[in-house]
Amino acid sequence: MAHVTLQNIRKTYPNGFEAIHGVDVEIADGEFMVLVGPSGCGKSTLLRMIAGLERVTEGTITIGGRVVNELEPADRDIAMVFQNYALYPHMNVFQNMAYGLKIRKLPKAEIEARVKKVADILNLTDEQMTRKPRELSGGQRQRVAMGRAIVREPSVFLFDEPLSNLDAKLRVQMRIEIKQLQERLGITSVYVTHDQVEAMTLAQRMIVMNEGRAEQVGTPLDVYAKPATTFVAGFIGSPAMNLIPEERDGRKLLFGIRPEHLEPCAQADASFVIDVDLIEPLGADTLVYGHLDGGAADARVAARLHGSVDARTGRLPLRYDPDKAHHFDAAGGQRIE
């Protein structure tokens, strides 16, 4: 196991495009850190620099206190799990999992013992161990890919969107398995995803990436409850936080309120009134979308109401607890305490 340190990490390509803009973060020994953000935000590039698959333009990466900038991936004591599994199609499951150990010329008995131990952890049966990857389901192939990483007993696991090829139900199951596995093994892990649900459920801490910058680093609940910028407020949460233009003391601000912190009320008690445009009944919850009555055209509002609420199109008075409100600078997007 090892801690990972990123100091002023920058990545600039030969055409001058700067993909990563000075990222600084400490990942503790045994921590599960998730890099989350939209496509093109730089999260996979950052992961690949930790892995040694991309060169660092500026800054320092250390793993276990050792600077690894110039080390080859094989010398960094890391193991990576890819989105496309990257299994050898001509090898069976046992051979895929054992291959890296054979390259390191470990004794045959040790290889067999390690693979057997990991197969048991991942619930891979003896019959499955003899199959080729094409004979396995997507979830089984992902278990094999993780097993191949685990048998190496690395200091750091790196996951590059490993669940994105799976269907929704299997993604939920695999999320649970990955979290339980990481907690059991206690190995420092860095996990990339664009899926905020994966990020929120897996991470001990998360880095929200935007255009090559780390917008915010913190626990999932801290990031959700106290977003540092309007980008974080809009990206984390579904539906996203409502951001409504306001002006205070001559300063242009954005007022923020989460959809679940709005509730219907009597007209006299309303914080504001919306004209409802769309209703989405989801069973336990009902999502209501509308715009501010008499407000600016871009002042859209979403509310997550209890499923028992009889929501209808028309005018809907809503109220909120002022303690749940957020305020941001309209120009820079930074949170105002």
Side-chain angles (χ1 to χ4, degrees):
M1 295 187 291
H3 66 276
V4 177
T5 303
L6 309 180
Q7 294 179 304
N8 191 34
I9 299 301
R10 297 180 181 272
K11 176 65 179 181
T12 305
Y13 289 99
N15 64 2
F17 174 68
E18 190 170 1
I20 302 294
H21 306 268
V23 172
D24 288 282
V25 69
E26 291 268 353
I27 303 171
D29 188 1
E31 185 174 24
F32 200 124
M33 179 70 82
V34 174
L35 298 171
V36 63
S39 297
C41 70
K43 56 188 184 295
S44 289
T45 300
L46 195 59
L47 188 80
R48 288 172 62 83
M49 286 195 286
I50 297 172
L53 301 175
E54 293 268 5
R55 290 188 63 83
V56 175
T57 304
E58 185 178 328
T60 303
I61 297 177
T62 63
I63 297 177
R66 181 178 59 152
V67 176
V68 299
N69 287 43
E70 302 302 323
L71 295 183
E72 294 297 319
D75 300 323
R76 297 192 180 201
D77 197 19
I78 56 96
M80 194 161 182
V81 180
F82 296 92
Q83 174 182 349
N84 62 357
Y85 317 128
L87 300 175
Y88 297 109
H90 62 288
M91 296 182 181
N92 65 25
V93 169
F94 177 90
Q95 292 165 336
N96 265 282
M97 291 173 61
Y99 183 73
L101 304 182
K102 289 183 177 180
I103 293 296
R104 290 161 56 184
K105 301 188 184 303
L106 268 62
K108 182 179 179 181
E110 182 177 352
I111 293 174
E112 291 179 351
R114 281 203 198 183
V115 173
K116 178 65 167 64
K117 178 182 176 181
V118 172
D120 290 342
I121 291 173
L122 296 172
N123 295 317
L124 291 168
T125 66
D126 291 342
E127 190 271 334
Q128 288 170 341
M129 295 295 287
T130 63
R131 293 184 186 177
K132 301 288 179 61
R134 65 177 178 273
E135 300 174 278
L136 303 175
S137 68
Q140 290 168 342
R141 276 179 280 178
Q142 194 54 273
R143 285 192 186 91
V144 176
M146 288 192 293
R148 185 178 56 188
I150 295 168
V151 295
R152 294 180 56 188
E153 299 179 357
S155 295
V156 179
F157 283 144
L158 303 177
F159 296 89
D160 191 6
E161 305 213 40
L163 307 184
S164 59
N165 286 340
L166 305 180
D167 62 48
K169 184 177 180 180
L170 192 51
R171 278 203 305 272
V172 173
Q173 178 185 335
M174 292 301 296
R175 277 206 313 266
I176 295 170
E177 292 186 13
I178 288 175
K179 184 156 189 164
Q180 291 175 333
L181 183 64
Q182 195 275 339
E183 289 175 349
R184 176 176 178 178
L185 299 176
I187 295 178
T188 307
S189 300
V190 185
Y191 187 106
V192 161
T193 181
H194 65 273
D195 186 327
Q196 59 168 292
V197 176
E198 275 184 33
M200 294 289 289
T201 54
L202 286 173
Q204 291 176 311
R205 285 194 304 151
M206 59 201 298
I207 305 171
V208 183
M209 297 288 296
N210 178 32
E211 297 183 344
R213 292 179 172 85
E215 290 267 328
Q216 187 169 358
V217 181
T219 67
L221 291 182
D222 284 344
V223 170
Y224 187 82
K226 204 170 182 179
T229 65
T230 52
F231 173 82
V232 178
F235 186 78
I236 299 296
S238 180
M241 180 183 287
N242 297 296
L243 295 170
I244 302 169
E246 65 175 357
E247 192 164 328
R248 185 188 301 172
D249 300 326
R251 183 181 182 183
K252 292 185 177 180
L253 305 176
L254 290 172
F255 161 77
I257 191 74
R258 293 268 180 211
E260 63 269 28
H261 295 152
L262 292 170
E263 59 179 11
C265 61
Q267 178 84 32
D269 300 325
S271 303
F272 50 78
V273 178
I274 66 170
D275 288 323
V276 176
D277 301 319
L278 177 67
I279 298 170
E280 292 183 340
L282 302 177
D285 299 321
T286 295
L287 299 182
V288 176
Y289 299 90
H291 59 276
L292 279 181
D293 181 32
D298 60 351
R300 313 296 298 179
V301 175
R304 183 183 290 274
L305 309 180
H306 193 277
S308 62
V309 172
D310 183 18
R312 301 179 183 181
T313 56
R315 289 164 58 84
L316 177 64
L318 295 168
R319 67 182 177 186
Y320 62 88
D321 180 348
D323 290 339
K324 301 292 187 181
H326 308 260
H327 299 277
F328 303 89
D329 177 66
Q334 298 300 311
R335 180 184 187 83
I336 298 172
E337 298 297 338

